[in-house]
Amino acid sequence: MHTVILVLKIAIDVGLVVLYLWWRKRLSSSEQVLDGIKGFAGWAQSNKETLLRYTRIAEIVVGVFLLCLGYFIGKDHYHLIRDGVRTPGTIVGYEQQYFRGSDGRLSSGSEAFMPIVKFQAGEQDVEFKDWMGTSAAVLNVRVTVLYDPGKPSLAMIDRPVWNWIPWAPTLGMGLFLVLVGVRGWMFGK
């Protein structure tokens, strides 16, 4: 698997270098760049319908992707917000977790302490690792827990605003893009 990813990365890098060299040769002076921009602007004006159609398609595709992503990352949280039971809990430990940096390298990442929370679900003691970490490990902190009574191991610390992050804005943006794309498709001339 690592070999396939490495080959894919090399192919993308080679493609970018070839594309750069082709554009560098084609647009070697600022006058050529300006002519290219003017040419694209003229093409966009004369092909406005085609451009708008592809823009609407892109909006719908990106919107559907964001809807699916928002659903995937938020389905458990929404279920707990809607049907979960609140109960007191205590942070009894932390699990240190290392996150890669935005560039994908381990060296540029950061570490976080994921809280281990213990609470009572009926007569049963339940422990779970919360999804949101912190930079400092403080023990014996009382928290409110949201859990599923049918499956107590499905739980999270109840944080009124953070319960909706990051999945709800993702879902909202996806819905917005789909609606704008469909509206443009239906009512655009």
Side-chain angles (χ1 to χ4, degrees):
M1 182 68 178
H2 294 295
T3 307
V4 172
I5 292 173
L6 181 63
V7 168
L8 185 63
K9 285 182 178 181
I10 290 172
I12 290 171
D13 289 343
V14 168
L16 288 173
V17 167
V18 168
L19 188 64
Y20 168 75
L21 292 174
W22 182 71
W23 277 103
R24 183 175 170 205
K25 179 181 174 187
R26 187 167 176 211
L27 304 172
S28 59
S29 73
S30 60
E31 292 171 4
Q32 287 178 323
V33 172
L34 286 175
D35 288 341
I37 292 171
K38 288 177 185 176
F40 176 74
W43 176 86
Q45 283 294 339
S46 62
N47 295 304
K48 190 181 264 187
E49 286 300 315
T50 304
L51 192 61
L52 285 174
R53 180 177 49 224
Y54 288 129
T55 302
R56 292 177 189 129
I57 290 170
E59 286 173 339
I60 292 171
V61 167
V62 171
V64 168
F65 171 76
L66 289 175
L67 282 171
C68 292
L69 179 65
Y71 172 77
F72 177 74
I73 61 178
K75 65 182 187 268
D76 290 338
H77 287 211
Y78 183 69
H79 169 68
L80 290 174
I81 291 167
R82 191 186 64 219
D83 300 325
V85 174
R86 285 176 172 77
T87 189
T90 306
I91 297 177
V92 294
Y94 287 89
E95 183 179 307
Q96 189 172 355
Q97 194 167 343
Y98 195 79
F99 295 94
R100 292 179 184 268
S102 59
D103 58 1
R105 295 185 314 198
L106 285 172
S107 61
S108 63
S110 62
E111 61 184 26
F113 297 96
M114 310 305 281
I116 307 295
V117 180
K118 185 176 184 177
F119 68 96
Q120 291 264 183
E123 299 296 319
Q124 177 184 6
D125 280 345
V126 180
E127 281 191 14
F128 71 95
K129 180 174 82 169
D130 195 50
W131 68 276
M132 189 172 157
T134 181
S135 58
V138 182
L139 294 176
N140 298 322
V141 175
R142 291 203 165 284
V143 294
T144 302
V145 174
L146 267 171
Y147 75 96
D148 182 355
K151 184 181 175 190
S153 62
L154 179 59
M156 69 178 180
I157 296 175
D158 186 18
R159 300 176 183 95
V161 174
W162 286 102
N163 290 347
W164 299 89
I165 305 293
W167 64 272
T170 304
L171 207 63
M173 184 58 70
L175 182 62
F176 173 75
L177 287 174
V178 167
L179 291 176
V180 167
V182 168
R183 182 186 174 278
W185 197 281
M186 291 175 64
F187 300 114
K189 298 284 184 208

